[in-house]
Amino acid sequence: MGYREGHIDRVIREAQARGDFDNLPGAGKPLDLGDMGDPDWWVKRWVRREGIDTSQALPGPLALRKEREGFPESLADLATEQSVRVVLQDFNRRVRDEVLRPTFGRLSRPVVVGVDVEAMVLRWRELRAERVAASPAPAPVVPTPRRRRWWWPFGAGRAGSA
């Protein structure tokens, strides 16, 4: 009894004959099997390869903790003190909503702490002052001389034109 080629085997053989597998990325390199003991290795590789931001997948309290750790550096690009206050007050509102959310089961949820708005605004001011001091002074703008316009259109009447 001989080997009977199946459909998949035939498709692979035909693709090899056409050269569809030639010059693929990673050809001739060893396989990276270092994280095969992790049951979620394929998900972690996919996230890393695609550059996906996993912060959106965090549970609410952990996402709030991560956001809090980024203060005041994450606020440095805000232009006004009022905008910083709005962001921090919104953060405190979301923390309060998370704390008041009902829990189910015996497990307690992670503790999330709000921020002191005034202290954070003070740190934001200091950070902004450091950035301004560290940035080089802008070069003075030198106006370009204006081109002299001839009173007669298209340069007619100028010396050397016919």
Side-chain angles (χ1 to χ4, degrees), residues 58-104:
L58 289 174
L62 298 181
L64 288 171
R65 278 183 173 182
K66 188 168 186 166
E67 183 178 350
R68 186 177 196 275
E69 289 173 5
F71 293 150
E73 290 80 13
S74 63
L75 304 171
D77 293 332
L78 297 177
T80 65
E81 188 175 306
Q82 181 61 29
S83 59
V84 172
R85 288 181 191 280
V86 167
V87 169
L88 294 173
Q89 289 167 352
D90 177 61
F91 175 79
N92 283 341
R93 180 194 55 78
R94 289 183 286 131
V95 167
R96 187 187 67 243
D97 291 348
E98 187 62 39
V99 168
L100 295 176
R101 182 171 290 147
T103 58
F104 301 100

Side-chain angles (χ1 to χ4, degrees), residues 26-47:
K29 296 179 184 171
L31 294 176
D32 178 21
L33 303 175
D35 54 0
M36 294 300 287
D38 184 4
D40 297 326
W41 65 270
W42 62 276
V43 175
K44 291 176 182 174
R45 281 191 190 180
W46 177 72
V47 166

Side-chain angles (χ1 to χ4, degrees), residues 10-25 27:
R10 183 178 49 81
V11 170
I12 291 173
R13 182 181 45 78
E14 290 172 356
Q16 284 175 331
R18 285 192 309 266
D20 291 347
F21 298 126
D22 297 344
N23 301 322
L24 290 175

